Amino acid sequence: MVGESMTWVQALILGLVQGLTEFLPISSSAHLRIVSAVFFGDDAGASFTAVTQLGTEAAVLVYFAKDIWRIVRAWFSTLVRKVSRPARQTVPLTDQVTTKLPVMRPGEPPLLDEDAQRELDYRIGWYVIIATIPIGLLGFLLKDQIRTGARNLWLVSFMLIAFALVIAAGEYYGRKIRPIEQLTTRDGLVMGFAQCLALIPGVSRSGATATAGLFLGLEREAAVRFSFLLAIPAVTASGLFSLPDAFEPAGEGLNASGPQLLVATIVAFGVGYASVAWLLKFVAKHSLDWFVGYRIVLGLTMMGLLAGGVVSAT
């Protein structure tokens, strides 16, 4: 059964919602699912969500362009140097330092010399690669469930509430004392596995990874920054993988045309860029608890609408 065609107004609204919610710990996939169900009486679909996320990830690439270029350059140059000039003595992995730590000066941010910065960037590059493997495997194995059962609004509503409590716990118990210079392989792996939870609408990719970082003792801004970097490979791959399904709609739900998808993605990019800049400034001075109450209220409201038969769960 082929679903209804998406209107231009719907495409613009959903692109706006994607851009506003992708980087906040409130789950963009949940908001696209809820908005399309409550206001449009149907589901925009997982493919639409995945493709429009390409716009928000493009916003991350532009915003962090200098950091990303520095990390990529350091990763390739250091890897080539290590391969071409192997160390004379092998140091056990457990005994290796994560990076050369900067000298802390009272009242000033840590400063890294050129070698230390290159080493840190090289390791962050590896952390992103290693941490992307879990969600890549699970996303491929569970792709059918992600597009069907996982989009049930009862599950989405429950996850909004349940993970709000997890975020609150991360803020309460996390020590938030370690800067990004102290990021380790263990941190990357834990945050990578936490990212897998984002396959369930209602969890939030940024919420899952940033909260994992808080539990690991990372500073809030450090956890959020690495969360953004970590999302780039997974979200980009998911969006590109979903392009054939999105541009050739054949299932139930709202079916967007190619031009509508393109415009929605561009809108998501513009709004997403502003959202990234705002969130990084916000978390520097405020906790993620501000989003906890919103998630709980939204989840309970949706449960009420579902129980009253106002909105269909599927």
Side-chain angles (χ1 to χ4, degrees), residues 2 20 43 64 75 89 117-118 141 150 152 156 158 163 181 183 196 218 239-240 246 259 262 275 286 288 305 309-310:
V2 179
L20 283 173
D43 184 2
F64 290 105
W75 188 84
Q89 182 179 359
Q117 183 66 62
R118 186 185 302 109
L141 294 174
N152 185 289
V156 172
F158 173 78
F163 209 79
E181 288 82 10
L183 201 67
C196 295
L218 292 174
L240 295 176
L262 178 61
S275 180
H286 304 85
L288 298 181
L305 293 175
V310 179

Side-chain angles (χ1 to χ4, degrees), residues 5 18 57 60 82 95 180 200 205 296 300 303:
S5 297
Q18 169 63 30
E57 285 313 301
V60 171
K82 288 179 180 291
D95 295 334
I180 199 167
I200 307 173
R205 185 185 308 274
I296 293 175
L300 290 175
M303 286 184 172

